[in-house]
Amino acid sequence: MADDEADPRFERLIGFLRRIPAIEDGIGCGAFDDQRWWVKFSIDIEHALAWQVVQELGHVLNYVSLDERLPTAFMPVSPPPYMNGGPRAYLAWVIETKDLEFTPDQTAEWLESRLPRPVDDPTHWSRGNDDD
């Protein structure tokens, strides 16, 4: 499902993701047969904050703490590179839920409360301790 046809359940989460530096337009969303949901998007890997964004999303969505693990997974997805092309065009990222009760709105709340604030201000994403 393309973002312009998005299920209303995803409105808040997609709106929030659009504000994050390096996340590109064209956010998709949907549900599996068992009703677990997913959101898929691209990150501009040439953007100065791309890997900071990946690191922050990975931290919150996969491993915020031993006691506060979310029922979500954030991961890269790609068609076979040998048949298509490189990461600039074909690497995408997906957030999936592992729990039918955990909603896209709850995911947005967790991200809003734990990512840099304001999320759309690039100066708040730079920590000054990058070891690129």
Side-chain angles (χ1 to χ4, degrees), residues 6 90 116:
Y90 291 98

Side-chain angles (χ1 to χ4, degrees), residues 7 9-10 30-38 97 99-102:
D7 181 321
R9 296 177 300 161
F10 295 94
F32 298 106
D33 290 339
D34 66 3
Q35 296 307 305
R36 290 176 301 118
W37 56 265
W38 55 268
T97 187
D99 181 343
L100 297 175
E101 303 297 318
F102 198 74

Side-chain angles (χ1 to χ4, degrees), residues 36-56:
R36 290 176 301 118
W37 56 265
W38 55 268
V39 175
K40 183 177 174 185
F41 52 91
S42 295
I43 294 176
D44 175 1
I45 63 172
E46 300 297 326
H47 192 285
L49 297 172
W51 299 111
Q52 182 74 29
V53 168
V54 169
Q55 185 177 24
E56 294 273 357

Side-chain angles (χ1 to χ4, degrees), residues 2-81:
D3 60 348
D4 56 352
E5 321 166 355
D7 181 321
R9 296 177 300 161
F10 295 94
E11 200 170 294
R12 180 176 176 186
L13 179 57
I14 289 173
F16 183 76
L17 291 172
R18 282 185 174 138
R19 295 178 50 216
I20 296 174
I23 291 185
E24 298 179 326
D25 288 334
I27 299 172
C29 62
F32 298 106
D33 290 339
D34 66 3
Q35 296 307 305
R36 290 176 301 118
W37 56 265
W38 55 268
V39 175
K40 183 177 174 185
F41 52 91
S42 295
I43 294 176
D44 175 1
I45 63 172
E46 300 297 326
H47 192 285
L49 297 172
W51 299 111
Q52 182 74 29
V53 168
V54 169
Q55 185 177 24
E56 294 273 357
L57 290 173
H59 167 68
V60 174
L61 296 167
N62 295 340
Y63 201 75
V64 74
S65 82
L66 291 175
D67 299 327
E68 291 184 287
R69 289 209 178 168
L70 296 183
T72 54
F74 171 66
M75 61 194 148
V77 293
S78 177

